[in-house]
Amino acid sequence: MNVLLIGSGGREHALAWKLAQSSGLDTLYAAPGNPGIAQHATIAALDTADHRAVIDFVRGHQIGLVVVGPEVPLVAGLADDLRAIGVPVFGPGREAARLEGSKGFTKDLCTRVGIPTARYFRVTSKDGALACLDDFAKDGQLRCVIKADGLAAGKGVVVAMSRIEAEDAISALFADGPAEAVIEEFLEGEEASLFVLCDGDATASFGSAQDHKRVGDGDIGPNTGGMGAYSPAAVLTPALEEQAMREIVRPTIDSLAAAGTPYIGVLYAGLMLTADGPKLIEYNVRFGDPECQVLMARFSGDLLATLLAVAEGRLADLPAPAFADDVALTVVMAANGYPGTPATGGSIDGIDAAEATGATVFQAGTREDAGQLVAAGGRVLAITATGRDVATAQAAAYRAVDAIDFPTGFCRRDIGWRAIG
Ligand code: AMP
Ligand code: GLY
């Protein structure tokens, strides 16, 4: 079968790497792709925002499955337009993708069906936002989280630990006039991400991971798209996972199905494991990046067969997805300046040396410039290794990181620290 993979990040390189191992694959096409993805796929010169062009490509190349990696095309309804011509798609339609596209949509769904999540207000004006702050003051201290409503590449959230910080975040949010936002209670606990395949009705757990969103060691500095991850997240015990499936994921899937907008793809539930049980922080409607890299490093099944079964509504016929017992850990190397303006164009060498240590180097923001691999975005590489426990996987990943020669890049040196500590 021919497959079209949409996307150009480290997540899509990991998906391409795993799809290429599937026995049922004939040709893998990718758009827009990157030099790492091009090791496994034929790059299609396609503007993925032009749905008409994607449809023509699918028809012209006998594509049997389209796998949509990132959220932007899902929120734009690419999956609906492709399903309209009868092609199986891994990824939710526009309406179900609002789980990620609108924080307010998700919060209101949680309220409607009783899903545990942080107490919140939806606001549309600066005065309205300021007026609800008092509600989050406790013992003379104010803590809350301010979230822009729409897609923000992981950067639309401010965790405010004082009234001044909250007011500054609100001023910034409404600096250009009206906006939509959610202001919510600060939740305490450890974070874990749960991945669930869903074919519109049946669900299957696809493992867990823990991301590292802050740019600096020790979880300091601004939020990023994710600086590293490991899988599984041991804090999400089987009992807590079962509780999260029952109280959070299942009611969400059922609610979307009842509304006639079934969820087809992978649902990424960002959870806070609080003293009162798991609470939903956010949904994403796709694999995480870099969480996908560690899931693919551990997944032992046939990825094409699995994603196709999801897209065709046959998930219940498959055995439960199986994963290696090993821990996988990935370290993101980013270009200096990220998550602000990254320094692009810097040379990258040493990938072969890094892979000779046994690690896998997934490429994200890279491009080739006269035969030289150079940085072309914020997050550039995801160096991924496995081991019998987090410490062993971490040591293996950093051995490979140290073989990379990327003078204009940086990485965190402590990925996995919570699990090791
Ligand atoms: P989000 O983009 O919604 O995942 O938020 C980014 C990060 O902000 C999360 O990974 C958490 O670390 C933090 N965060 C979001 N919402 C809350 C909350 N209600 N309480 C505490 N931390 C939060
Ligand atoms: N790493 C977080 C995300 O993909 O949203």
Side-chain angles (χ1 to χ4, degrees):
M1 168 176 292
N2 296 340
V3 176
L4 172 63
L5 172 65
I6 306 284
S8 62
R11 166 183 48 218
E12 288 76 26
H13 187 181
L15 291 170
W17 172 79
K18 197 71 199 177
L19 282 168
Q21 298 168 28
S22 289
S23 57
L25 182 72
D26 289 320
T27 302
L28 177 62
Y29 295 95
N34 69 30
I37 294 169
Q39 295 164 14
H40 313 287
T42 302
I43 302 300
L46 254 186
D47 172 6
T48 57
D50 180 350
H51 296 190
R52 182 76 243 177
V54 178
I55 287 170
D56 288 344
F57 184 90
V58 163
R59 285 207 169 113
H61 294 78
Q62 291 82 45
I63 301 295
L65 173 69
V66 180
V67 178
V68 185
E71 63 277 19
V72 170
L74 294 168
V75 170
L78 180 60
D80 306 279
D81 291 342
L82 289 167
R83 284 193 191 104
I85 61 157
V87 64
V89 182
F90 182 85
R94 183 188 287 110
E95 193 57 28
R98 291 179 75 197
L99 286 180
E100 178 165 0
S102 167
K103 306 250 183 221
F105 171 85
T106 298
K107 293 302 261 187
D108 288 354
L109 187 150
C110 288
T111 303
R112 235 176 16 252
V113 300
I115 291 171
T117 188
R119 200 160 47 76
Y120 70 102
F121 293 94
R122 289 183 78 167
V123 297
T124 53
S125 72
K126 185 172 173 180
D127 286 344
L130 292 172
C132 70
L133 285 184
D134 281 338
D135 216 78
F136 297 107
K138 207 171 87 184
D139 306 328
Q141 217 202 348
L142 191 141
R143 297 200 295 184
C144 67
V145 184
I146 295 150
K147 303 183 171 186
D149 189 75
L151 294 181
K155 298 176 205 159
V157 172
V158 175
V159 178
M161 299 305 264
S162 69
R163 183 178 291 270
I164 302 276
E165 279 178 28
E167 288 177 354
D168 284 352
I170 289 168
S171 294
L173 192 64
F174 292 99
D176 301 327
E180 274 192 61
V182 167
I183 302 188
E184 67 180 36
E185 168 197 10
F186 175 82
L187 296 174
E188 272 177 275
E190 196 158 352
E191 282 183 56
S193 304
L194 173 63
F195 297 86
V196 181
L197 300 178
C198 181
D199 68 359
D201 174 22
T203 56
S205 169
F206 201 75
S208 64
Q210 194 172 59
D211 191 12
H212 297 64
K213 297 222 174 176
R214 303 295 186 111
V215 74
D217 284 15
D219 292 332
I220 56 159
N223 266 321
T224 68
M227 294 300 293
Y230 63 90
S231 171
V235 285
L236 190 67
T237 60
L240 287 174
E241 178 178 323
E242 196 275 324
Q243 189 180 358
M245 285 292 280
R246 181 166 31 87
E247 296 181 356
I248 298 175
V249 174
R250 199 64 244 182
T252 303
I253 299 295
D254 291 344
S255 163
L256 291 173
T261 55
Y263 193 94
I264 300 169
V266 60
L267 183 61
Y268 164 159
L271 304 173
M272 189 69 86
L273 306 178
T274 75
D276 302 328
K279 293 192 178 179
L280 181 70
I281 300 176
E282 62 158 356
Y283 276 133
N284 295 314
V285 297
R286 47 167 175 88
F287 284 114
D289 188 346
E291 294 92 325
C292 187
Q293 288 84 318
V294 284
L295 292 176
M296 291 305 138
R298 293 183 53 238
F299 179 54
S300 54
D302 181 312
L303 187 63
L304 171 50
T306 304
L307 302 188
L308 186 64
V310 170
E312 293 184 336
R314 295 183 287 103
L315 186 55
D317 301 338
L318 285 194
F323 291 86
D325 289 335
D326 276 1
V327 171
L329 185 142
T330 192
V331 176
V332 169
M333 297 190 83
N336 289 339
Y338 179 77
T341 305
T344 56
S347 63
I348 303 158
D349 290 293
I351 290 184
D352 288 347
E355 295 202 317
T357 68
T360 305
V361 178
F362 295 117
Q363 297 184 31
T366 61
R367 68 180 161 81
E368 255 159 21
D369 194 355
Q372 171 67 49
L373 193 68
V374 301
R379 294 185 295 165
V380 176
L381 304 173
I383 291 100
T384 310
T386 57
R388 67 180 178 280
D389 53 26
V390 178
T392 314
Q394 185 195 58
Y398 281 109
R399 246 191 328 272
V401 166
D402 291 337
I404 299 277
D405 182 17
F406 177 26
T408 60
F410 72 98
C411 66
R412 279 181 62 162
R413 297 294 313 188
D414 66 343
I415 300 305
W417 70 278
R418 281 178 199 279
I420 292 169

